[in-house]
Amino acid sequence: MSATARKTAPMPMDIRARKGGAPLVSLTAYTTPMAQFMDAHVDFVLVGDSVGMVLHGLTSTLDVTMEMMILHGQAVRRGLSRAMMVVDLPFGAYEESPQQAFRNAARLMRETGAGAVKLEGGMQMAETIGFLTQRGVPVMAHIGLTPQAIHTLGGYRVQGRGEDAAQMMADARAVAQAGAFALVLEKVPERLADRITAEVAIPTIGIGASAGCDGQILVVDDMLGLFTAFKAKFVKRFATLGEQAEAAIAEYAAAVRAREFPAAEHVFSDKAPEGGA
Ligand code: KIV
């Protein structure tokens, strides 16, 4: 069912059932108003740990905490009535053991109302994904460029080229077999993304991957032109809201300095008008 025709939020099993069907549409969100703007247009919203870089000015996602994910998850949840919400497990909240992952995933779901959590990693996270899904926590997996592993990956490079392709295919198979309901492929060569999509039984969600993936996701501030510190090749700016915001702020500042704002329609008289404020 298309996002616009839907009245209630899909469940992870509904997202999984969309494998090979009409493309799944997703964006990140971190605030209530942005969630409201996208609710009718996307199938699921990701409260990504990209929030650290996009809204908090951090230089990587490594310093993002559970408290930040909960605060932003709660804000986004208030803005959604039709799209499913997935919340990222932040760095350090799940890698130690399946038990640690369950504790933090359960807390995220309980305190934010998320329908699922996302975690980064392939084969090495398969045991944890199995542990979570067998205990009621739907998991979206994320392989390819996994920003939480930036220091071991050696930068924000394309992943899975050449001999690394076999390992990525194995990672995709492992997380699907472990029970993940969907798989994010970030910054992966197009042909490899297509092969993974053909091979695994769960929907692939591409970001810098391939139009052949079962769905697409972008960071909302990137596609709206609100985040301008840098632009990855895979980002298409569908708007330039950052430029518009700066121009509007400059116009406001000039109007205040020229005493043109507030104007007559923005101020109050001594007497209350008939039926007015
Ligand atoms: O944190 C995030 O925004 C993400 C997406 C880029 C998939 O993980």
Side-chain angles (χ1 to χ4, degrees), residues 28 46 48-50 88 118 142 184 186 207 217 219:
T28 66
L46 172 68
D49 61 354
S50 49
D88 258 344
K118 178 167 81 58
H142 180 166
V184 172
E186 179 165 354
I207 172 163
I217 185 165
V219 169

Side-chain angles (χ1 to χ4, degrees), residues 28 30 46-51 54 61 69 88 118 120 142 145 147-148 184 186 205 207 217-220 222 234:
T28 66
Y30 319 107
L46 172 68
V47 185
D49 61 354
S50 49
V51 67
V54 170
T61 56
M69 297 312 300
D88 258 344
K118 178 167 81 58
E120 297 183 4
H142 180 166
L145 175 64
Q148 293 176 9
V184 172
E186 179 165 354
I205 312 296
I207 172 163
I217 185 165
L218 281 176
V219 169
V220 70
D222 282 341
F234 58 76

Side-chain angles (χ1 to χ4, degrees), residues 38-232:
M38 66 181 69
D39 188 35
H41 305 285
V42 301
D43 297 295
F44 70 89
V45 172
L46 172 68
V47 185
D49 61 354
S50 49
V51 67
M53 297 175 77
V54 170
L55 288 197
H56 293 269
L58 299 175
T59 52
S60 79
T61 56
L62 299 182
D63 293 330
V64 173
T65 62
M66 281 290 290
E67 285 65 34
M68 287 163 79
M69 297 312 300
I70 288 168
L71 193 70
H72 288 284
Q74 289 170 341
V76 168
R77 186 72 197 88
R78 285 180 212 117
L80 299 179
S81 58
R82 304 206 296 185
M84 185 179 84
M85 184 174 85
V86 181
V87 178
D88 258 344
L89 277 161
F91 180 62
Y94 61 99
E95 300 89 333
E96 204 176 310
S97 66
Q99 288 77 5
Q100 182 212 23
F102 180 78
R103 254 193 322 279
N104 284 317
R107 184 173 168 214
L108 279 185
M109 290 178 72
R110 194 171 50 240
E111 295 188 27
T112 68
V117 299
K118 178 167 81 58
L119 57 78
E120 297 183 4
M123 233 172 213
Q124 79 280 23
M125 293 313 302
E127 185 193 350
T128 295
I129 293 171
F131 190 89
L132 294 181
T133 54
Q134 285 157 29
R135 287 163 179 77
V137 178
V139 178
M140 178 173 287
H142 180 166
I143 64 171
L145 175 64
T146 46
Q148 293 176 9
I150 204 64
H151 293 300
T152 44
L153 294 178
Y156 292 92
R157 288 194 306 244
V158 175
Q159 301 294 311
R161 281 190 169 136
E163 289 176 1
D164 294 345
Q167 179 60 52
M168 192 158 308
M169 182 59 89
D171 283 335
R173 285 195 197 106
V175 297
Q177 274 163 19
F181 71 91
L183 170 60
V184 172
L185 298 177
E186 179 165 354
K187 227 169 170 182
V188 173
E190 187 180 25
R191 279 181 48 196
L192 177 58
D194 289 344
R195 279 177 44 216
I196 292 173
T197 301
E199 176 105 2
V200 298
I202 57 175
T204 55
I205 312 296
I207 172 163
S210 166
C213 287
D214 297 297
Q216 301 294 327
I217 185 165
L218 281 176
V219 169
V220 70
D221 292 61
D222 282 341
M223 57 83 72
L224 292 178
L226 280 167
F227 181 76
T228 53
F230 60 86
K231 186 182 101 53

